[in-house]
């Protein structure tokens, strides 16, 4: 155990089951520890470093903005913020944007907006989420998430119900004209990369339209080109009423966003919501550089092509294994479901210098930087198969 690890054990809340390595630097899809050992990063900071580590555009934006202005609060305008919200509105097709610092904050903002809108509509009903989802670590967002995140934190927030994933009939039993919103991820990352079915999503959109219910899509993990579309909802041909995003929006710098239709966003007025750090010029400048680069370097197309190739390679290389149940996902958000626990496989991959993750107990979650090379994809797949 090195000095950094000793200090963490002594001072940090012991809430993370960390791997015994202290990382020091990164470049592209590679990272190095303090002993100079090199790893392929197939986790990307949990789908954050979509442009990889130390991308020149991100590094340049950080340096340039650090020399100018870091923070002023939202009592004032900054060019970086105004440009960032314009870009997010254009990319999402939603007219209004609120900036915050994380995915949990974005979901909290989306729920708060939905509640206020609901009150104006005379609605006092529930917000419905889907079972086995994950929306953050606040009391409200764990209420919406899987039960294993809730133990020991009661009483939970009232006004929430859950329906099974991909089960329209069960969802219809829970909603009525008093229901405020339906909120879910199109790919449930933390519970094992479960993909929403096309027919289910389209019928949920229609259900929301029929009963004047808001459709909130959590794009925190799926957004910013990860799935082979800029937003995952583009795969389904729908337009949400509210979208929550974060993670990859600024290439590793914390930023979150709530995007909403004009007629819904207008429910919040002066003093209804706010943030000290959200939308600071530093995060927004880096976010602008990130989103420009995602488009300039065709990351959407790259994620789609590399993801299809990687899933095909995993299927081929594990075809003879009785441990693999399914390989699924969209773009470079990939789940490999196993008949055995995932963590020991992840530990074997770590021993062979590949960083990965287990989700939902028995699923390997593969979410590498979108800039990963074909050679590194091949290496990851070989290590995965050998580790199994």
């Amino acid at each position: 155990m090195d000095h950094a690890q000793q200090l963490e054990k002594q001072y940090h809340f012991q809430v993370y089951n960390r791997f015994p390595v202290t990382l020091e630097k990164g470049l592209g899809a590679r990272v190095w520890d303090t002993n100079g050992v090199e790893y392929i990063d197939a986790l990307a900071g949990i789908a954050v470093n979509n442009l990889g580590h130390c991308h020149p555009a991100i590094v340049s934006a950080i340096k340039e903005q650090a020399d100018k202005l870091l923070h002023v609060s939202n009592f004032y305008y900054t060019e970086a913020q105004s440009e960032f919200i314009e870009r997010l509105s254009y990319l999402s097709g939603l007219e209004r944007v609120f900036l915050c610092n994380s995915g949990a904050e974005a979901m909290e903002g989306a729920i708060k907006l939905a509640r206020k809108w609901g009150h104006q509509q005379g609605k006092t009903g529930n917000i419905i989420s889907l079972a086995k989802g994950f929306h953050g670590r606040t009391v409200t967002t764990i209420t919406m998430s899987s039960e294993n995140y809730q133990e020991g934190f009661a009483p939970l927030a009232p006004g929430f119900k859950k329906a099974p994933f991909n089960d329209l009939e069960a969802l219809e039993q829970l909603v009525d004209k008093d229901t405020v919103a339906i909120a879910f991820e199109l790919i449930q990352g933390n519970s094992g990369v479960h993909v929403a079915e096309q027919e289910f999503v389209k019928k949920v959109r229609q259900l929301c339209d029929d009963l004047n219910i808001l459709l909130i899509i959590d794009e925190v993990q799926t957004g910013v080109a990860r799935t082979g579309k800029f937003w995952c909802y583009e795969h389904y041909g729908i337009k949400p009423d509210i979208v929550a995003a974060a993670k990859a929006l600024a290439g590793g710098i914390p930023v979150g966003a709530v995007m909403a239709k004009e007629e819904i966003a207008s429910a919040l007025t002066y003093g209804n919501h706010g943030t000290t750090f959200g939308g600071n010029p530093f995060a927004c400048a880096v976010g602008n550089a990130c989103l420009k680069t995602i488009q300039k370097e065709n990351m959407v197309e790259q994620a789609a092509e590399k993801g299809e190739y990687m899933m095909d390679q995993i299927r081929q290389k594990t075809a003879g294994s009785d441990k693999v149940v399914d390989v699924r996902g969209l773009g470079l958000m990939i789940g490999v479901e196993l008949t055995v626990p995932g963590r020991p496989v992840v530990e074997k991959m770590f021993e062979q210098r590949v960083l990965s993750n287990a989700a939902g107990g028995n699923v390997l979650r593969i979410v590498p930087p979108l800039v990963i090379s074909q050679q590194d994809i091949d290496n990851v797949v070989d290590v995965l198969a050998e580790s199994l």
Side-chain angles (χ1 to χ4, degrees):
M1 186 182 296
D2 66 18
H3 186 55
Q5 294 168 32
Q6 290 172 354
L7 291 175
E8 192 276 347
K9 294 297 181 190
Q10 183 175 353
Y11 293 109
H12 202 283
F13 283 24
Q14 293 299 291
V15 293
Y16 300 119
N17 187 14
R18 301 180 198 254
F19 285 84
V21 62
T22 302
L23 299 178
E24 186 174 45
K25 63 180 182 178
L27 187 64
R30 302 285 180 119
V31 292
W32 288 262
D33 69 18
T34 48
N35 294 315
V37 178
E38 183 177 348
Y39 302 80
I40 300 175
D41 184 1
L43 184 58
I46 318 177
V48 169
N49 302 312
N50 285 11
L51 288 173
H53 299 277
C54 295
H55 190 289
I58 300 299
V59 173
S60 176
I62 288 171
K63 290 179 176 178
E64 183 180 335
Q65 190 61 38
D67 272 337
K68 291 163 64 174
L69 191 67
L70 293 178
H71 176 77
V72 292
S73 87
N74 286 299
F75 283 118
Y76 312 99
Y77 298 94
T78 65
E79 289 184 2
Q81 183 185 115
S82 295
E83 182 183 337
F84 193 45
I85 57 177
E86 179 189 31
R87 184 166 274 109
L88 286 172
S89 176
Y90 170 77
L91 288 167
S92 66
L94 299 168
E95 293 84 4
R96 293 285 174 179
V97 181
F98 176 86
L99 296 174
C100 52
N101 308 284
S102 68
E105 281 182 72
M107 279 305 295
E108 284 274 2
I111 296 308
K112 193 172 174 183
L113 170 59
R115 285 261 187 252
K116 184 75 187 299
W117 174 87
H119 286 184
Q120 292 181 349
Q121 301 289 315
K123 290 173 175 272
T124 56
N126 291 309
I127 292 172
I128 312 295
S129 62
L130 300 184
K132 297 185 179 178
F134 178 77
H135 300 286
R137 302 277 188 171
T138 65
V139 172
T140 297
T141 53
I142 65 170
T143 303
M144 301 170 66
S145 303
S146 293
E147 283 72 15
N148 54 303
Y149 297 106
Q150 300 172 4
E151 188 177 344
F153 299 108
L156 299 174
F160 294 91
K161 296 285 185 184
K162 281 198 201 75
F165 193 59
N166 279 330
D167 188 335
L168 184 71
E169 189 176 332
L171 179 62
E172 288 174 331
Q173 297 298 314
L174 282 178
V175 303
D176 56 30
K177 290 183 178 179
D178 207 28
T179 302
V180 174
I182 300 171
F184 61 98
E185 308 154 277
L186 292 164
I187 304 178
Q188 295 184 324
N190 279 35
S191 64
V193 193
H194 299 286
V195 184
E197 296 168 359
Q198 283 279 341
E199 188 74 5
F200 173 76
V201 174
K202 288 175 179 175
K203 287 188 174 177
V204 172
R205 175 69 276 182
Q206 188 59 55
L207 181 66
C208 288
D209 290 341
D210 292 345
L211 295 176
N212 192 31
I213 296 169
L214 297 182
L215 177 59
I216 302 172
I217 297 297
D218 181 341
E219 289 268 6
V220 171
Q221 191 167 159
T222 52
V224 196
R226 170 59 55 188
T227 68
K229 298 285 188 183
F230 194 89
W231 304 112
C232 192
Y233 62 78
E234 295 173 49
H235 287 286
Y236 296 85
I238 62 154
K239 186 175 183 179
D241 300 302
I242 304 173
V243 172
K247 281 192 182 287
L249 282 176
I253 299 299
V255 65
V258 184
M259 293 153 281
K261 294 177 178 176
E262 173 75 49
E263 62 271 23
I264 296 155
S266 61
L268 292 178
T269 57
Y270 295 120
N272 281 171
H273 198 46
T275 170
T276 297
F277 288 111
N280 66 77
F282 178 72
C284 290
V286 182
N288 284 322
C290 178
L291 299 186
K292 286 178 189 174
T293 306
I294 291 282
Q295 293 178 287
K296 181 181 177 183
E297 298 188 1
N298 298 314
M299 283 297 133
V300 169
E301 293 81 1
Q302 286 199 46
E305 292 168 7
K306 291 174 182 178
E308 185 176 352
Y309 173 78
M310 193 171 198
M311 280 191 273
D312 284 344
Q313 289 298 302
I314 294 170
R315 291 185 184 109
Q316 287 180 33
K317 295 286 178 69
T318 63
S321 173
D322 59 358
K323 296 186 179 75
V324 176
V325 176
D326 190 22
V327 180
R328 56 178 177 259
L330 288 171
L332 279 169
M333 187 167 179
I334 299 169
V336 182
E337 185 175 345
L338 309 175
T339 58
V340 296
R343 176 76 182 202
V345 182
V346 171
E347 290 172 353
K348 283 289 182 188
M349 292 176 71
F350 173 74
E351 289 172 11
Q352 297 185 68
R353 309 296 184 247
V354 172
L355 306 183
S356 61
N357 175 246
N362 66 326
V363 178
L364 303 178
R365 174 169 48 175
I366 310 295
V367 284
L370 309 186
V371 298
I372 191 171
S373 66
Q374 183 173 317
Q375 182 180 347
D376 278 351
I377 288 174
D378 290 341
N379 288 339
V380 170
V381 175
D382 287 343
V383 168
L384 189 159
E386 187 179 332
S387 298
L388 278 170

